[in-house]
Amino acid sequence: MAIPSRIVAMQGDMATVEAFGKLRHVSLMLLSEPVATGDYLLIQAGGFAYERVEHERALETLALLATIVDHAPA
């Protein structure tokens, strides 16, 4: 399952993304459409973004995942 990650900075074909307070550096080389700071992406193993996710859908998914994590046994 991929977690939507928000672009917080971009430089060339690389971006810094954030999800649940964690920052990662990812490659944008596999994307077929332009992206901008604030967009949400899905990231595959190896650190490559492969799909842009609509803002509302990303927020819905993040809220659902936060609920699941909050209810997980310790």
Side-chain angles (χ1 to χ4, degrees):
M1 171 185 261
I3 298 171
S5 301
R6 183 177 53 89
I7 299 173
V8 295
M10 294 175 56
Q11 183 174 3
D13 286 339
M14 297 296 292
T16 302
V17 297
E18 180 273 333
F20 294 110
K22 302 289 184 181
L23 296 176
R24 292 177 42 184
H25 299 286
V26 300
S27 172
L28 304 173
M29 292 174 56
L30 298 180
L31 294 172
S32 61
E33 62 182 304
V35 293
T37 301
D39 284 347
Y40 284 87
L41 304 173
L42 296 181
I43 315 300
Q44 70 181 27
F48 289 89
Y50 65 92
E51 183 178 340
R52 186 178 67 81
V53 179
E54 292 298 324
H55 188 81
E56 286 182 23
R57 184 169 180 137
L59 294 179
E60 290 170 3
T61 301
L62 290 169
L64 176 63
L65 290 170
T67 300
I68 292 168
V69 170
D70 286 345
H71 288 80

